[in-house]
Amino acid sequence: LLALLVLPVYPHFVSPNELSRWAAAASLVDRGSLAIAPDLAALLGPRFEDVAGREGRLYPNKAPGAALAGLPGYLVARPFAGPPGRDSMRAAVTVMRWGAATLPVLLLALLFARAARDLGAEPAACPLALLALLFGTPLLACGLLLFAHALVAWALFGAWALLFPADRKEGAGRDVAAGALLGLAVLSDYPALVPAALLAVAAAWRRPLARTLRIALGALPPAALFFGYNVAAFGGPFELPVSHERFAPFRALREHGAWGVGWPSAANLLRLLLDPSKGLLVLSPVLFAAAASTPAALRRLDRRAGATLVAVPISLLLVYSGFPDWHGGFTVGARYLVPALPFLLLPLALGRGGGAAAFLAGASVAAVALTTLVFPFVPPGFPLSWGSFAAPLL
């Protein structure tokens, strides 16, 4: 309902993360070009930073999965919005958001509730955990914007639920579907390769070779799109857009480590969790209650399911602590950690809840909803952003 009623498209704020994907979809549909058409690049302006360049052609500087997921939305909006331009941009971006971000959040919510129920969730705790996930974390903002993080969260958690079901029964269809979801996660955000690999290895370890082949079979179509896009746009299967950044400050960031990802940093790890402006635990203190419920939740899971439930968030924390731009720029909270949220909050659904958990969930919803619905592009540096940034702007 919020995604239908709240359309955060601001004419005086160009959202680079989103509009690069809109430009790619419009160029493909209306210009027959994989590269961003020159007239659309001119519309975005010379200072538009979220683009990569090769041989005079421009592309989004990000993985193609979210733009592909938003493509059906662009096709639906095109007859009503008209040809790509300043007047049609708002409608097209909005419908692309519904398909590539809001729909994955709804699917994630259904999957989360089912997984919790199958694991014997407490009657009062499951709705509280679902409320916290949807409205008390940065997932709310990512479900309203054309970012890739909600799509990756659904893909990774969906793969986990399929590979390690509560009934502990493996199935060929589940394995193929899980492989497809793991491939989609990596196609949508390259660092998702680390948690995706963890899930695949844990599922295949000391299992029949057939299971590995089924997972690989499911991942084959996304892998073909991944390598095919890199070859067509940048000249090689392992040539990523981030290696061809046009914006000089971004080029400098990508020189750090491998494609911008260096060794984990303890300082950045603390910032991701506790920074007054972007820290995940500062914006969403309900995660403290989820952490307290984790030991009890692990006792309900088998060894592989429990180990991966914990390992996926840890892997994401370690990967993104190696990012120089760990904060994610103009955004609500630590957006890079959004794919970890369903894993972090599932234990809350399996705990007993209680007054403390409800209070922390309410505080999280109040902070996240105010920050997101007023203006979801919060610059870094505003401590307790719902009070220092969103409330005065409201």
Short mmCIF file of all heavy atoms in Angstrom, two decimals, residues 32-33 93 177 253 286 296 302:
data_model
loop_
_atom_site.label_atom_id
_atom_site.label_comp_id
_atom_site.label_asym_id
_atom_site.label_seq_id
_atom_site.Cartn_x
_atom_site.Cartn_y
_atom_site.Cartn_z
N GLY A 32 16.82 0.09 -28.74
CA GLY A 32 17.45 -1.16 -29.15
C GLY A 32 18.92 -1.23 -28.82
O GLY A 32 19.69 -1.89 -29.52
N SER A 33 19.33 -0.57 -27.74
CA SER A 33 20.75 -0.45 -27.40
C SER A 33 20.98 -0.95 -25.99
O SER A 33 20.25 -0.59 -25.06
CB SER A 33 21.21 1.00 -27.53
OG SER A 33 22.50 1.17 -26.99
N VAL A 93 9.71 4.86 -13.65
CA VAL A 93 10.54 4.46 -12.51
C VAL A 93 9.67 3.84 -11.42
O VAL A 93 10.04 2.84 -10.79
CB VAL A 93 11.34 5.66 -11.96
CG1 VAL A 93 11.97 5.33 -10.62
CG2 VAL A 93 12.41 6.07 -12.96
N ALA A 177 15.62 -24.63 -8.14
CA ALA A 177 15.11 -23.29 -7.83
C ALA A 177 16.08 -22.52 -6.95
O ALA A 177 16.29 -21.31 -7.14
CB ALA A 177 13.74 -23.40 -7.15
N LEU A 253 37.80 4.84 -5.59
CA LEU A 253 37.30 3.85 -4.64
C LEU A 253 37.53 2.43 -5.15
O LEU A 253 37.88 1.52 -4.38
CB LEU A 253 35.82 4.06 -4.37
CG LEU A 253 35.43 5.31 -3.56
CD1 LEU A 253 33.92 5.46 -3.54
CD2 LEU A 253 35.97 5.22 -2.13
N VAL A 286 15.73 -3.30 17.21
CA VAL A 286 15.06 -4.58 17.37
C VAL A 286 16.00 -5.73 17.09
O VAL A 286 15.77 -6.86 17.56
CB VAL A 286 13.83 -4.64 16.43
CG1 VAL A 286 14.26 -4.70 14.97
CG2 VAL A 286 12.95 -5.84 16.78
N ALA A 296 18.28 -19.81 21.08
CA ALA A 296 17.09 -20.67 21.13
C ALA A 296 16.66 -21.08 19.73
O ALA A 296 16.24 -22.23 19.50
CB ALA A 296 15.95 -19.95 21.85
N ASP A 302 18.62 -27.73 12.12
CA ASP A 302 19.71 -28.69 12.02
C ASP A 302 21.03 -27.93 11.84
O ASP A 302 21.04 -26.71 11.69
CB ASP A 302 19.48 -29.69 10.89
CG ASP A 302 19.55 -29.08 9.49
OD1 ASP A 302 20.23 -28.05 9.31
OD2 ASP A 302 18.94 -29.65 8.57
#
